[in-house]
Amino acid sequence: MVKHQPLQVYERQLCLSCLTGIYGCRWKRYQRSHDDTTKWELLWSLILLFTFCLLLFWCYFWLEAHNDYNEFNWLLYNHSGAWSDSTVPILATTAAGFTYIAFLMVLALCHVAVGQQLNLHWLHKIAVIVALLTTVAGLIAVNQVWGQEWDVVPISLQATGPFLHIGALAAVTALSWVVAGQVARAEKTRVQMVVLLLYFGVLLGLYLVPLSITSPCIMERTELKPRPDVIGHQGAPMLAPENTLMSFQRALQMNVTGLEADVTISVDGVPFLMRDSTLRRTTDVEKVFPDRHAEDASFFNWTDLRQLNAGQWFLEDDPFWTVHTLSEGEKREMANQSVCSLEQLLALAAPRNRTVVFRLRRPPAGHPCHHSWINDTLETVRSARVPLSLVMWTPDEDRDQVRRMAPELLQTSLRKQSPQALHQQGVSRLLLRYNLASTQDVREFSQSNVSLALHTVNEPWLYSVLWCSGVPAVSSDAPHVLKKLLGPVWLLRPAEYCLIWVSADLVSFAVVIGIFIFQKFRMSGMRSYNPEQIMLKAAGRRSSQDVNIMKEKLIFSGPPQ
């Protein structure tokens, strides 16, 4: 007697083949499996998840650190002696790595959604380890070279926190489709309970996250303080070469309230504007004085400094990617810029009643002005015939003597101190990096009549956060960008934010419950059908050209009769 097994018809499953093929190089049907994922592969899935989360944080850090890219490049220049925009390769590799790891994560979730066994290919495993180690090495390097920049993460969350919360809530809500399917397919109750507890624990945490979100931009509109004044840091260095007359003129066109510069003293006692300790980066000293290009800038006399071109480097290096926006006339003017003196800067700012703040670098040992640098600079300021009430004096050395000689100067400190300590020193102004002053610090300084200015603020989101915090002034490389802001990027009343929060949680919970109920009925319905009957029905609706028919198998249960 011969028994015939029902005819089995297999449809092409191109999507499933691509899914398992790309993720685990399992292109054939017999290579796939609906069995539980092995513990070894589960471990690799956790490594993939950890790498994804780490790269997500790394990407977020570099996106928010955009405010300080120039500072980062300058730090690397001081370490290596060679100027380059190092953020470009970092951003390129970060974007490529994150895209790749995110793609693998999507493939892994699709495997779980369709009930396929996870089996990451060994080439992907090597790539995941490389991405993980590279990211960890990057984190360590940033911590050593630029550790203070980590503060940008909690500060940026004051601007992005409410929106990241909504995005994370939407992502986890969408993930309920995969979780509900996995729970419905699981045969062990213990597995179902573990998955449910983990998922709903994360969901509950997201529902309550707004309790820990604090932002100065969640406030009543009537409590918003006046717009912070903008000081042009090195003029407008995104539009013209830093610390040149053209740069400061551009800043004044943006209606800044003050100008900030870096001052060095020449060998013949002339204070001039220069940020670096050498002249290599911002002048053509290697061409004019090839034997002295590595020499400290303060060992040049003013006559030699006037021979140097301080603008051509900007056109060649294009440090802010803005040269393409300049007209031919602006480029010609820029190419003829020379080193600017402190006296020239004061003469430019005084007629427009603009404040001038400068950081004074002490000449190295062996310099003629090494001991007299304070008196030499003070004499230049006093002889410039500008109102001393427009000059913010920052050096701490011999401050009492300076106050006696020029009491009209605005005594300014670059070190964070208590209001009481500042008053004892006769200091009325404070200039700090933006990460060194919290909202509480801003409030205390304001109540103590200490005028606070924060640097360097280039991004609209950071300017908005400081505006909402009540900061009276900021120093910026991008006054042309901040000028366009008519108000904070966003401002929400507490009642409005509470309504958005509660509404998002309720909608998310309703969607999650609906998905779990739908998946339960969907999976139970699929279990009530015989897969072979489904295949036969599908074959009855398709022509022979659309399906591949396996040969009929003959099963002999006994000897032929």
Side-chain angles (χ1 to χ4, degrees):
M1 178 179 178
V2 179
K3 290 185 178 180
H4 295 266
Q5 189 179 22
L7 189 66
Q8 297 184 14
V9 179
Y10 292 92
E11 300 182 63
R12 289 194 181 96
Q13 296 176 307
L14 294 179
C15 290
L16 185 59
S17 296
C18 291
L19 179 66
T20 57
I22 295 174
Y23 187 81
C25 200
R26 295 177 297 169
W27 299 95
K28 304 297 184 181
R29 182 183 298 274
Y30 68 85
Q31 294 176 313
R32 304 172 198 154
S33 174
H34 289 277
D35 296 337
D36 292 338
T37 303
T38 63
K39 293 182 179 179
W40 176 248
E41 289 299 328
L42 282 176
L43 176 61
W44 274 106
S45 299
L46 291 177
I47 294 175
L48 177 61
L49 177 61
F50 177 75
T51 305
F52 173 77
C53 294
L54 199 63
L55 266 171
L56 183 63
F57 171 79
W58 182 248
C59 285
Y60 179 79
F61 167 76
W62 279 105
L63 285 174
E64 299 307 322
H66 185 267
N67 182 83
D68 304 311
Y69 281 179
N70 188 59
E71 177 186 280
F72 177 71
N73 290 329
W74 189 69
L75 287 175
L76 292 185
Y77 169 75
N78 288 333
H79 280 77
S80 65
W83 174 267
S84 65
D85 192 347
S86 303
T87 60
V88 173
I90 292 176
L91 293 175
T93 54
T94 298
F98 179 73
T99 302
Y100 172 71
I101 296 299
F103 181 61
L104 290 183
M105 279 295 301
V106 172
L107 292 179
L109 290 175
C110 291
H111 272 68
V112 176
V114 299
Q116 285 289 321
Q117 184 186 54
L118 291 171
N119 187 15
L120 188 64
H121 194 260
W122 64 270
L123 284 176
H124 289 318
K125 292 176 181 178
I126 294 176
V128 169
I129 292 299
V130 170
L132 176 60
L133 294 179
T134 303
T135 306
V136 170
L139 292 169
I140 295 173
V142 168
N143 191 62
Q144 292 179 345
V145 177
W146 205 24
Q148 63 181 354
E149 191 64 17
W150 293 126
D151 291 335
V152 78
V153 175
I155 294 174
S156 67
L157 289 176
Q158 297 180 30
T160 62
F163 308 100
L164 291 178
H165 167 249
I166 299 297
L169 192 60
V172 174
T173 300
L175 194 62
S176 64
W177 179 271
V178 178
V179 176
Q182 185 69 10
V183 171
R185 279 190 297 268
E187 297 179 356
K188 297 180 180 180
T189 304
R190 185 174 59 183
V191 174
Q192 292 177 330
M193 293 302 298
V194 170
V195 173
L196 286 174
L197 286 176
L198 285 175
Y199 177 75
F200 281 100
V202 172
L203 194 63
L204 179 61
L206 279 176
Y207 288 162
L208 299 179
V209 156
L211 293 175
S212 63
I213 293 179
T214 58
S215 173
C217 294
I218 301 177
M219 62 185 301
E220 297 293 340
R221 289 174 173 79
T222 56
E223 299 176 359
L224 184 64
K225 298 295 179 65
R227 177 191 182 98
D229 294 333
V230 177
I231 300 172
H233 178 242
Q234 302 178 100
M238 291 188 181
L239 304 177
E242 64 186 56
N243 284 324
T244 61
L245 283 178
M246 182 180 181
S247 181
F248 293 113
Q249 289 167 352
R250 281 295 188 91
L252 292 173
Q253 292 172 5
M254 304 301 163
N255 200 31
V256 298
T257 59
L259 300 173
E260 180 183 354
D262 303 280
V263 175
T264 299
I265 303 178
S266 68
V267 73
D268 51 350
V270 178
F272 66 98
L273 311 187
M274 185 60 58
R275 183 183 189 187
D276 302 347
S277 59
T278 68
L279 302 169
R280 294 171 54 195
R281 182 175 67 90
T282 58
T283 71
D284 59 347
V285 66
E286 293 182 341
K287 178 182 177 181
V288 180
F289 302 105
D291 298 334
R292 303 177 61 191
H293 68 274
E295 193 172 331
D296 193 287
S298 61
F299 283 105
F300 286 77
N301 61 47
W302 181 239
T303 302
D304 291 340
L305 291 170
R306 292 294 294 172
Q307 299 180 42
L308 301 176
N309 185 296
Q312 187 63 38
W313 73 272
F314 187 88
L315 298 174
E316 296 173 354
D317 294 344
D318 196 7
F320 294 97
W321 304 79
T322 54
V323 170
H324 69 280
T325 64
L326 303 175
S327 66
E328 291 301 321
E330 291 172 330
K331 291 179 181 179
R332 285 193 296 270
E333 180 184 1
M334 191 174 296
N336 293 321
Q337 292 299 301
S338 59
V339 177
C340 180
S341 68
L342 176 60
E343 185 176 3
Q344 290 174 313
L345 173 62
L346 294 172
L348 178 67
R352 297 167 177 81
N353 200 36
R354 296 294 186 262
T355 302
V356 174
V357 54
F358 57 88
R359 302 165 184 266
L360 183 60
R361 185 172 73 91
R362 185 174 188 176
H367 191 281
C369 302
H370 178 70
H371 299 289
S372 62
W373 60 301
I374 294 293
N375 289 333
D376 292 340
T377 306
L378 181 60
E379 183 61 30
T380 299
V381 172
R382 297 177 63 187
S383 62
R385 296 181 180 179
V386 298
L388 296 183
S389 58
L390 296 178
V391 180
M392 296 172 62
W393 184 268
T394 61
D396 288 328
E397 290 78 2
D398 301 327
R399 191 180 290 276
D400 291 337
Q401 177 184 347
V402 171
R403 288 176 55 198
R404 289 193 299 270
M405 297 176 63
E408 301 90 348
L409 289 173
L410 299 174
Q411 294 297 327
T412 306
S413 177
L414 301 177
R415 295 186 297 111
K416 185 178 181 180
Q417 305 174 64
S418 66
Q420 295 77 13
L422 293 173
H423 286 311
Q424 290 176 359
Q425 301 172 31
V427 175
S428 60
R429 300 196 174 214
L430 192 61
L431 180 62
L432 300 175
R433 194 176 189 272
Y434 66 85
N435 64 315
L436 296 179
S438 64
T439 303
Q440 180 62 31
D441 293 331
V442 173
R443 190 178 300 113
E444 290 181 0
F445 288 126
S446 176
Q447 294 173 352
S448 303
N449 294 322
V450 175
S451 181
L452 177 66
L454 300 181
H455 68 87
T456 306
V457 179
N458 301 324
E459 291 295 308
W461 70 262
L462 180 56
Y463 184 72
S464 298
V465 169
L466 299 179
W467 186 343
C468 295
S469 300
V471 174
V474 301
S475 175
S476 176
D477 290 333
H480 62 292
V481 174
L482 304 186
K483 178 185 178 182
K484 299 176 183 178
L485 288 180
L486 302 179
V489 173
W490 64 271
L491 194 66
L492 285 176
R493 293 168 43 230
E496 293 173 341
Y497 178 61
C498 185
L499 178 62
I500 294 173
W501 163 28
V502 174
S503 300
D505 287 356
L506 291 177
V507 170
S508 169
F509 186 74
V511 171
V512 168
I513 296 301
I515 289 176
F516 268 83
I517 294 174
F518 176 77
Q519 285 282 57
K520 178 178 175 59
F521 283 102
R522 175 174 170 268
M523 291 297 179
S524 61
M526 291 180 63
R527 289 176 180 175
S528 64
Y529 290 101
N530 187 328
E532 292 181 352
Q533 294 176 355
I534 298 175
M535 294 176 187
L536 288 171
K537 290 180 180 179
R541 296 192 301 268
R542 293 176 178 265
S543 65
S544 60
Q545 296 179 352
D546 297 331
V547 297
N548 293 328
I549 306 176
M550 295 184 64
K551 293 181 179 181
E552 183 178 8
K553 296 180 180 179
L554 299 178
I555 303 176
F556 295 90
S557 59
Q561 297 180 354

